[in-house]
Amino acid sequence: MTSAAVSSRDLPHPAREEIRLEGVLHALSDPLRLYIVRELAAVGDELSCSHFDLPVTKSTTTHHFRVLRESGVIRQIYRGTAKMNGLRKDDLDGLFPGLLDALLDAAARQAARLGDA
């Protein structure tokens, strides 16, 4: 019984070879999802969903994390009762060298230009 409970908490992720460029770009095209990725990149470690104080409902927040996970941008794993989120930087850099760094740099420049930094 215990293994069934554990496996029911496993979240589906695409394998590295299943990650597609258009899915990554779509996931990062939303300002809130890009914010989440910028935070994860800045910290360089896992962060819980509750770390992010997004100006949307809980169900919308869940949707944003799901889009990021299903596109292969982040990995989500349960640690106790917390759902932890980590950036799949190694996978993304291996598939699309320089893309993530370029997008994060462009997002930082835009935030500074618009006063959202």
Side-chain angles (χ1 to χ4, degrees):
M1 268 286 164
T2 305
S3 62
V6 171
S7 66
S8 71
R9 289 174 50 110
D10 287 344
L11 298 164
H13 297 85
R16 181 178 178 158
E17 60 274 5
E18 296 172 329
I19 297 172
R20 299 192 43 114
L21 178 60
E22 55 272 26
V24 171
L25 293 175
H26 167 74
L28 297 177
S29 70
D30 181 89
L32 288 179
R33 293 193 293 261
L34 185 56
Y35 167 78
I36 291 167
V37 170
R38 288 183 67 205
E39 286 285 304
L40 289 169
V43 170
D45 199 3
E46 294 178 339
L47 293 172
S48 68
C49 290
S50 63
H51 168 85
F52 299 91
D53 185 22
L54 303 178
V56 293
T57 64
K58 185 175 178 181
S59 63
T60 301
T61 298
T62 299
H63 166 75
H64 285 305
F65 279 105
R66 186 178 72 245
V67 169
L68 289 168
R69 177 175 42 83
E70 291 178 350
S71 68
V73 175
I74 66 169
R75 180 167 306 281
Q76 290 186 305
I77 188 166
Y78 281 100
R79 299 208 192 286
T81 58
K83 191 186 295 182
M84 302 301 292
N85 304 279
L87 191 57
R88 292 181 66 177
K89 185 165 176 33
D90 289 345
D91 288 335
L92 295 173
D93 287 347
L95 292 167
F96 317 112
L99 176 68
L100 186 60
D101 289 336
L103 290 171
L104 291 170
D105 182 56
R109 288 174 185 262
Q110 175 176 280
R113 181 172 47 90
L114 299 177
D116 296 336

